[in-house]
Amino acid sequence: MPNPRRKSRRAWVLAWAVLCVTGLAATAWLQAAAAPPEARPERHIKAECRDFMPETEDRMHMAESNSKGQGSILVVSPPGTDCSDDVHDFLREAR
């Protein structure tokens, strides 16, 4: 006569394995369906930082043309504004 306890363990292990495989498949599908970074909308830039960004971009282009791949750039946001997140995102995209 079969042991009912053993059958129950097998059912639990099989159910657990099916759930794991289903979860991995769903995760892979969701990651594949995610929009590529180019298709994502641009990040909103604060109004007080909007005038500051072109100046920073001009300084970066001037520094790139004057340097030979070496050097660093110091970016300081205008007093009284909090542009650190916007400048950080801008510099990350400029790489």
Side-chain angles (χ1 to χ4, degrees):
M1 186 163 202
N3 187 355
R5 178 176 269 171
R6 185 174 184 128
K7 202 178 226 185
S8 177
R9 285 184 190 162
R10 286 183 186 166
W12 278 109
V13 169
L14 180 63
W16 181 77
V18 168
L19 286 174
C20 286
V21 169
T22 305
L24 289 173
T27 301
W29 180 78
L30 287 172
Q31 287 178 347
E38 296 82 33
R40 292 187 181 142
E42 285 190 30
R43 187 173 183 274
H44 177 70
I45 298 175
K46 297 176 191 167
E48 60 264 10
C49 302
R50 204 169 289 141
D51 297 332
F52 174 67
M53 294 308 218
E55 181 183 335
T56 304
E57 189 172 7
D58 292 341
R59 288 182 184 181
M60 284 181 58
H61 289 300
M62 187 170 37
E64 286 175 359
S65 64
N66 292 340
S67 70
K68 296 179 175 89
Q70 298 176 351
S72 59
I73 300 171
L74 176 65
V75 179
V76 180
S77 60
T81 62
D82 183 24
C83 297
S84 60
D85 292 336
D86 297 325
V87 170
H88 185 264
D89 291 342
F90 173 73
L91 293 175
R92 185 183 309 146
E93 291 172 2
R95 283 189 195 178

